[in-house]
Amino acid sequence: MAIRSGDETGVSRRAFLKISAGGALALYVGGRSGGAEVFAAPIPGGTLAPGSIDKFVRPLVIPPAMPRSGTNSYAIAVRQFTQEILPPPLPQTTVWGYGAAASGPTFNYPSFTIETTRGTPVTVTWINELTDSSGNFRAHLLPVDPTLHWANPPGGTTGRDSRPEFATTPGRYTGPVPIVTHVHGMEAVQDWSDGYAEAWFLPAATDIPAGFATVGTWFDFFMGKAGPLGTTWGPGRATFRYPNSQRPSTAWYHDHTLGMTRLNVYAGPAGFYIIRSDDPADNPTVAGNGGAAVLPGPAPQLGDETGTRYYEIPIAIQDRSFGSDGALFYPDTRAFFDGFSGPFIPDSDVSPIWNPEFFGNCIVVNGRTWPVLDVEPRRYRFRVLNGCQARFLILSFDDPAVEVWQIGSEGGFLRQPAKVTELLMGPAERADLIVDFAGVKFGKGVTLRNRGPDSPFGGGGFRPADPLTTGRVMLFRVNQAVPAGFVDPSTPPGQLVMPPAPALSATRTRSLALLELAAEPPEPDIPIEARLGTFDPTAGLPAGVTFLRWEDPETENPDLGDTETWELYNFTEDAHPIHVHEVLFEVANRQRIDKRTGRPIQPPRGPTPTENGYKDTVIAYPGEVTRIRMRFSSQGQYVWHCHIVEHEDNEMMRPYRIGPVQPGQPG
């Protein structure tokens, strides 16, 4: 959370935090820097310097389709293995990943793509196989901070899912690892299948320590709600049902364990989840004649022959750091972030290991650092995911001859195609792109670049990423020949007519707050938690703000079938990617807020062209209120949170409930 260039307010980081710690609130409003851009220097990480890694020497991995265990069912486990992420002769990296439990060598980082069809539900049995060959549990690859509000298996059934107390500063947790999988972007999923953060489960290991909780607080309750599928739940496994009732869209799946999401996802378990539709009404048509449009394809499917050429490709962009031995690097001390070396909990309110954000110094695409893809001079469809921890990406090609159109976001097709030259993506956002290489000189390499910062993003002035490392993503080599007289069979994006996405009309508005908590004096004024809360605009600042934690009672409780507007007032200096489970929403507008009162000022502005559709993650800028509209269609217990995963893991996540309290639910 370093100070960015172009600050127009004169509010420094330390001044902001002193105000926050004093009980009042101030706003940080970033400005745009003038003059020439000054690029960031390489950022610290592990012992492997990113500049020493060869770039654009290994081909992009295109994840295959995940094998099924039955007609509309999957059995998917998470395991530990080694993989070539760094180019040889650098060592391989130990990671985790999902794979088909009984289908041979399908375990990969990122994981294979789950392919589904609208209107056809599927079930997935998720299995925690983080055990060794003897059946003993594997400790985490990365440092787990046990002072957060986290799953806390050592607490037993009375102390699980809590923020434990300590007499002395503890070391990292080294016990068995809990997991629970969330399909991010699944609309109308029932709560027992959503991957609730307190519904985790340990592996069915032979050496679970006595007294450990083996499942989270909500696991047994959800097992009972699962009905006949609940009989398949048990040690190390749970079966979820996904309705696939929404429009064709690009979802993804990843771990969602309380207080450990940042670490579990960083270790590798994540993959795409694609929903398609055979209904012509769900797909684009051609302007003028109304015929069915043709999008670039095919994408990987089950039964593909070796050597099949793909023109629809998922692209997961992540940031990672490595040691010289090839191991993943993630900080094991708070000092890595800001130099603070103690005292820690219980002698202060600062956690010893948790870092407020983490920025890897290497870019990894589909599980390889800085890969290359050989392409033809034609149109491709790329489903792009920002899978970074905290990094906002600002993507563009370094050759203006490349033409880029965005046709979809998280919730499916946009209302109109949007031609883009630069694309901003917050963590967890997805973009469905058509990229045309036809105008590129044959034989030329085109680099996908990232201008987003190597530090928190505020929407204003910043130093772009190091152009030699994190400022580069991957290379496309236009070197694959097409037959003489070739005509691209796909429809030009400018001629696409998108399927309708009806606007939502809300009957209730909720005002919510994005907040940050600083350490109390006499400790240094450093951030110790990110928070969510409520805000009363009529009361203004500071009286109208309520800071809330994960354990506080739900303050958002819509009725089943309601449509609401949520106002996200951002009183921090960072932009936050806010994700709401169970729903797809539309961005209504954004509006500047007065830094003294918190009340809206200036006229609201509508969504950007790349947001003109349904979404599940929205960027809420500092010093603004961001309004989203959504309809709630499944009764039960869900969450909303920031998808900067370090924030999510330390109090920037809140439970919300659709409908009444469920009989027998955990207290």
Side-chain angles (χ1 to χ4, degrees):
M1 293 186 178
I3 295 296
R4 291 177 289 276
S5 61
D7 176 78
E8 294 180 336
T9 66
V11 179
S12 73
R13 177 67 176 171
R14 292 197 169 273
F16 173 85
L17 289 169
K18 287 176 182 175
I19 295 169
S20 297
L25 291 166
L27 298 180
Y28 178 93
V29 183
R32 294 194 175 275
S33 58
E37 287 186 334
V38 179
F39 291 97
I43 57 175
T47 54
L48 181 63
S52 68
I53 301 171
D54 291 336
K55 313 296 189 297
F56 315 139
V57 296
R58 297 293 290 152
L60 178 77
V61 174
I62 302 175
M66 180 70 76
R68 302 184 184 99
S69 60
T71 302
N72 293 308
S73 61
Y74 295 84
I76 299 176
V78 58
R79 294 177 185 167
Q80 179 170 303
F81 50 91
T82 59
Q83 182 172 310
E84 180 191 288
I85 298 175
L86 301 163
L90 292 171
Q92 291 197 347
T93 302
T94 299
V95 292
W96 297 344
Y98 295 106
S103 296
T106 61
F107 287 82
N108 195 69
Y109 156 65
S111 304
F112 289 10
T113 301
I114 298 176
E115 284 277 351
T116 64
T117 303
R118 183 179 192 182
T120 302
V122 301
T123 61
V124 181
T125 298
W126 301 104
I127 308 169
N128 185 344
E129 293 187 352
L130 292 174
T131 55
D132 62 20
S133 58
S134 299
N136 297 324
F137 72 80
R138 293 187 184 274
H140 213 293
L141 296 174
L142 306 168
V144 178
D145 192 329
T147 68
L148 306 183
H149 192 144
W150 71 297
N152 191 30
T157 55
T158 59
R160 61 188 170 182
D161 299 314
S162 69
R163 184 182 288 267
E165 296 183 355
F166 296 93
T168 59
T169 301
R172 62 194 286 177
Y173 168 74
T174 57
V177 176
I179 67 162
V180 62
T181 302
H182 168 56
V183 174
H184 181 130
M186 182 61 64
E187 183 184 38
V189 65
Q190 296 183 63
D191 59 355
W192 54 271
S193 294
D194 187 48
Y196 193 69
E198 291 186 0
W200 51 265
F201 46 96
L202 297 184
T206 58
D207 61 341
I208 302 296
F212 270 48
T214 58
V215 297
T217 304
W218 283 74
F219 183 93
D220 289 333
F221 177 74
F222 285 155
M223 179 172 60
K225 285 192 70 176
L229 288 178
T231 61
T232 65
W233 294 40
R237 65 179 56 218
T239 302
F240 296 168
R241 181 181 184 274
Y242 301 105
N244 299 325
S245 57
Q246 65 212 61
R247 307 163 76 234
S249 53
T250 307
W252 63 302
Y253 60 103
H254 60 80
D255 181 78
H256 211 276
T257 301
L258 183 67
M260 292 180 65
T261 299
R262 72 196 185 284
L263 303 172
N264 287 1
V265 175
Y266 191 89
F272 282 89
Y273 188 113
I274 305 297
I275 302 173
R276 303 184 188 274
S277 176
D278 299 326
D279 187 343
D282 289 335
N283 294 292
T285 57
V286 181
N289 63 32
V294 177
L295 300 180
Q301 298 290 331
L302 292 173
D304 285 344
E305 296 181 1
T306 302
T308 300
R309 285 196 179 185
Y310 300 114
Y311 303 100
E312 180 192 324
I313 300 171
I315 294 180
I317 303 172
Q318 299 175 299
D319 55 348
R320 297 288 186 266
S321 293
F322 300 90
S324 56
D325 60 355
L328 289 169
F329 168 83
Y330 192 87
D332 62 359
T333 172
R334 170 59 186 254
F336 179 86
F337 178 75
D338 54 12
F340 183 77
S341 57
F344 297 115
I345 290 173
D347 300 315
S348 76
D349 50 8
V350 183
S351 292
I353 297 175
W354 177 77
N355 279 225
E357 289 104 4
F358 176 72
F359 297 86
N361 56 18
C362 299
I363 297 296
V364 177
V365 184
N366 288 4
R368 281 187 171 164
T369 52
W370 294 288
V372 58
L373 179 66
D374 295 326
V375 297
E376 300 170 16
R378 59 175 293 171
R379 287 184 283 270
Y380 284 73
R381 185 181 184 185
F382 298 126
R383 297 182 186 247
V384 181
L385 161 69
N386 180 348
C388 297
Q389 300 289 108
R391 180 184 297 276
F392 284 70
L393 300 169
I394 303 177
L395 303 174
S396 64
F397 287 93
D398 66 355
D399 187 336
V402 180
E403 190 174 282
V404 182
W405 293 75
Q406 183 169 342
I407 62 170
S409 58
E410 297 92 70
F413 293 116
L414 300 176
R415 292 185 172 100
Q416 294 89 29
K419 191 174 184 180
V420 298
T421 56
E422 193 171 70
L423 181 64
L424 169 65
M425 297 184 69
E429 286 193 301
R430 283 91 71 204
D432 193 347
L433 304 179
I434 294 181
V435 179
D436 193 347
F437 297 101
V440 178
K441 183 179 179 181
F442 191 81
K444 183 178 180 181
V446 179
T447 303
L448 179 62
R449 293 194 172 274
N450 166 46
R451 194 173 63 86
D454 289 326
S455 59
F457 176 72
F462 57 83
R463 294 190 175 211
D466 174 21
L468 298 180
T469 57
T470 51
R472 296 192 284 180
V473 178
M474 63 177 292
L475 181 71
F476 296 84
R477 287 192 300 230
V478 187
N479 62 2
Q480 301 296 292
V482 295
F486 171 80
V487 176
D488 195 321
S490 65
T491 304
Q495 297 179 19
L496 294 175
V497 177
M498 304 310 243
L504 301 176
S505 179
T507 57
R508 176 172 181 165
T509 297
R510 297 181 189 270
S511 298
L512 307 169
L514 314 183
L515 306 161
E516 183 177 81
L517 193 68
E520 293 290 340
E523 302 304 327
D525 51 358
I526 59 175
I528 59 169
E529 291 175 7
R531 290 277 192 97
L532 299 172
T534 59
F535 178 56
D536 179 359
T538 62
L541 293 176
V545 170
T546 301
F547 283 74
L548 295 170
R549 277 183 158 183
W550 169 254
E551 69 263 27
D552 291 319
E554 297 89 344
T555 49
E556 293 71 59
N557 180 210
D559 289 331
L560 182 65
D562 280 359
T563 301
E564 297 188 348
T565 296
W566 286 14
E567 297 183 323
L568 308 172
Y569 284 81
N570 188 348
F571 297 122
T572 78
E573 70 163 27
D574 297 337
H576 296 274
I578 299 299
H579 172 46
V580 185
H581 287 219
E582 197 276 329
V583 300
L584 295 174
F585 54 73
E586 59 180 351
V587 179
N589 57 57
R590 295 180 175 89
Q591 193 171 9
R592 300 295 295 172
I593 52 181
D594 187 288
K595 68 180 181 180
R596 296 172 296 277
T597 68
R599 296 187 177 95
I601 56 175
Q602 301 180 1
R605 66 185 191 278
T608 66
T610 60
E611 296 175 316
N612 189 17
Y614 297 151
K615 292 176 59 64
D616 62 39
T617 306
V618 65
I619 299 174
Y621 293 98
E624 293 189 355
V625 53
T626 300
R627 299 181 178 92
I628 57 177
R629 295 192 194 101
M630 50 203 158
R631 179 182 296 115
F632 303 92
S633 49
S634 286
Q635 187 168 292
Q637 189 82 2
Y638 300 94
V639 302
W640 68 285
H641 59 87
C642 175
H643 221 285
I644 294 173
V645 284
E646 286 81 14
H647 293 183
E648 170 187 347
D649 274 350
N650 194 9
E651 300 296 352
M652 206 168 190
M653 179 167 69
R654 289 278 296 145
Y656 84 95
R657 189 178 68 252
I658 302 172
V661 172
Q662 302 175 77
Q665 74 172 53

